[in-house]
Structure formats: C-alpha cells, structure tokens
Amino acid sequence: MEFKLVCDTESLDLARSGSVWGNIWVEISGLAFPEPHWNDMPVAFLAELLDAVAHVRSGDGDRRRVRFFDGPFWLDLVGRENGGTLEVTVNASGTSGARVVAVDAQEAARSLAAVRDELVRACLQRGWGDQMDVRRLQVR
C-alpha cells in the first residue's frame, strides 16, 4: 500500500490536560509525513482521520482535510470512483510541493481500523479508557 498510518504505542503518554500524546505519522509512497516518529495526539488525530475517510467514501468528489494537532501539517482526502478510491494529499504550510497518492478505500479503511484497535488496546492497558478521545476512538 502506498498509504500507511504508523503509531508507536510504546511512546504514548498522558498529559495533565488528559490528552494522549505519542508518535504518529503517515507513510505515503515511502515518505514519512510530517516526519518519522512525529509526536502529536494520535488518539484524537486517528478519530478525525477515520471520520474523514468515512465521509469521503460516501461519494465521488467528497473532500475532507485532517490536520495534525501539532505543526502546520495536514492530509487532504478526496473520494474517487464513487468512494472506491481515496486520493490522499499530504502538505505543509509554507512548502511548495505536495505528495498525492490514490489508494483503495477499503484497504485504507482496514489499515486504519487495525491501527485504531492497537491504539485503543494500548490506552486501555494503561488505564486511560475514561479519557474522552479514547472513548471517541472506541466507537469508530
């Protein structure tokens, strides 16, 4: 697959604010974005990404932007072929080049679901099941 979400569950930490922080990044055509081991809020980011993928799979041309919570980085998603294909663009503020890849929507959804399951399991093992973002991710 040319699009992969990577989450290092060993890096997870619970901030005083109740937000879960850890390393999460996207690999698109061999490029790590924003960078390998990017530290952000993986639970909240993945919940937003899952919502966006579900939305753009609903029809041809449907669009959503998902921003990383730290830094000026985002993914633009567009549904193609009646939602059977996702066009994924990664970009950052202040850069001139974006990277675009088309991926099978069903394969991408399965891959994200696997990361979701692993991330939820890691949070529950740490006793963070009552955190709002973890509960939100569990129902996705």
Side-chain angles (χ1 to χ4, degrees):
M1 179 192 287
E2 293 186 64
F3 172 82
K4 178 181 177 186
L5 181 69
V6 182
C7 181
D8 174 11
T9 58
E10 295 298 317
S11 69
L12 298 178
D13 188 36
L14 186 65
R16 288 183 191 172
S17 66
S19 297
V20 177
W21 285 82
N23 298 341
I24 190 163
W25 67 98
V26 172
E27 291 181 357
I28 184 166
S29 299
L31 171 75
F33 180 81
E35 65 184 33
H37 305 284
W38 179 254
N39 193 264
D40 212 305
M41 296 190 300
V43 177
F45 178 77
L46 182 51
E48 292 294 320
L49 185 56
L50 287 167
D51 285 349
V53 168
H55 175 79
V56 301
R57 287 183 71 188
S58 65
D60 198 43
D62 285 349
R63 300 173 176 272
R64 278 283 169 92
R65 176 170 284 177
V66 180
R67 294 183 180 278
F68 281 86
F69 289 88
D70 192 22
F73 306 105
W74 66 87
L75 305 175
D76 284 322
L77 307 173
V78 181
R80 300 284 186 218
E81 300 174 16
N82 291 321
T85 300
L86 295 179
E87 181 182 283
V88 182
T89 305
V90 296
N91 212 332
S93 180
T95 61
S96 60
R99 186 165 286 208
V100 182
V101 67
V103 298
D104 179 86
Q106 191 171 22
E107 185 179 339
R110 277 195 302 269
S111 174
L112 294 177
V115 174
R116 177 201 61 217
D117 293 346
E118 180 183 1
L119 186 52
V120 166
R121 186 172 33 257
C123 288
L124 293 176
Q125 288 173 347
R126 289 170 172 79
W128 303 340
D130 290 338
Q131 300 304 321
M132 182 181 68
D133 287 336
V134 174
R135 288 194 317 256
R136 181 176 171 215
L137 191 57
Q138 282 181 291
V139 299
R140 298 286 176 293

